[in-house]
Amino acid sequence: MVFYVLGGVLVAAAVGLFLGSGSQRRKVYAMKTTDTSTAADLRGLADSVAKEIGAGSFNQVTEVKGAIECDAPLTGELSGVPCVHYAMSVTREWEETRWKTDSQGRRSQETHKGSDVVASNTRSVSFRVKDATGAIDVDPAGAKIDGEKAVSQFQPGEPSGG
């Protein structure tokens, strides 16, 4: 009987992992098929579209490689590092021990664990990407940004209660 239950759990886990891998495959495919453009190429495309149908109408998914320039960079709230985007979250993890009495008067001890988000914040500012051909302005509003983790730490607290 235990083998059937264990087998069912393993099959469910395999199905979940298979479905999750499809999402990751789509992301990888999108990244591999995205063209890399220069700032000059994008500026030329945007100017030609603006002449045809008006300014602000150009929209293209592309990759631009270069140095980031920003007139007023942000400072990471927890890292203190200058940046153009950050997302931070402070989570409190807790553990609580409770005593439980069953219908026959026997007492047993149970430990419950949980977590609460104490604070979170996300900020972005517009910036430029400068390459050998020039610079292109980037407005990150509404973009999905995959950032780099700058700070991750755990600070154990003091035990409280009885």
Side-chain angles (χ1 to χ4, degrees):
M1 179 68 177
V2 172
F3 291 113
Y4 291 121
V5 172
L6 182 60
V9 168
L10 290 175
V11 167
V15 168
L17 289 172
F18 176 76
L19 294 175
S21 72
S23 169
Q24 292 301 316
R25 279 195 304 263
R26 284 188 295 278
K27 279 184 182 178
V28 168
Y29 177 76
M31 290 187 331
K32 284 184 177 181
T33 58
T34 298
D35 292 328
T36 300
S37 302
T38 65
D41 291 341
L42 290 174
R43 176 87 47 221
L45 283 169
D47 290 345
S48 65
V49 169
K51 287 177 187 172
E52 293 292 324
I53 58 176
S57 302
F58 179 66
N59 184 3
Q60 180 174 332
V61 175
T62 189
E63 175 186 49
V64 181
K65 295 181 180 180
I68 292 177
E69 296 179 341
C70 185
D71 295 330
L74 302 170
T75 300
E77 213 167 309
L78 300 176
S79 67
V81 175
C83 58
V84 294
H85 170 84
Y86 72 80
M88 60 77 75
S89 178
V90 176
T91 304
R92 178 179 69 98
E93 295 182 2
W94 51 268
E95 186 175 286
E96 180 179 64
T97 303
R98 300 178 190 159
W99 285 94
K100 179 180 170 185
T101 306
D102 65 12
S103 60
Q104 297 168 347
R106 291 182 293 213
R107 293 186 53 154
S108 60
Q109 189 177 18
E110 292 181 344
T111 301
H112 298 273
K113 295 181 180 183
S115 63
D116 304 310
V117 175
V118 177
S120 65
N121 192 12
T122 301
R123 290 191 58 204
S124 299
V125 293
S126 297
F127 58 94
R128 290 174 303 286
V129 177
K130 183 177 182 180
D131 65 10
T133 67
I136 191 79
D137 294 330
V138 177
D139 181 2
K144 182 186 178 302
I145 299 174
D146 293 328
E148 295 179 8
K149 188 175 283 191
V151 174
S152 178
Q153 65 186 61
F154 177 77
Q155 296 176 350
E158 297 297 321
S160 63

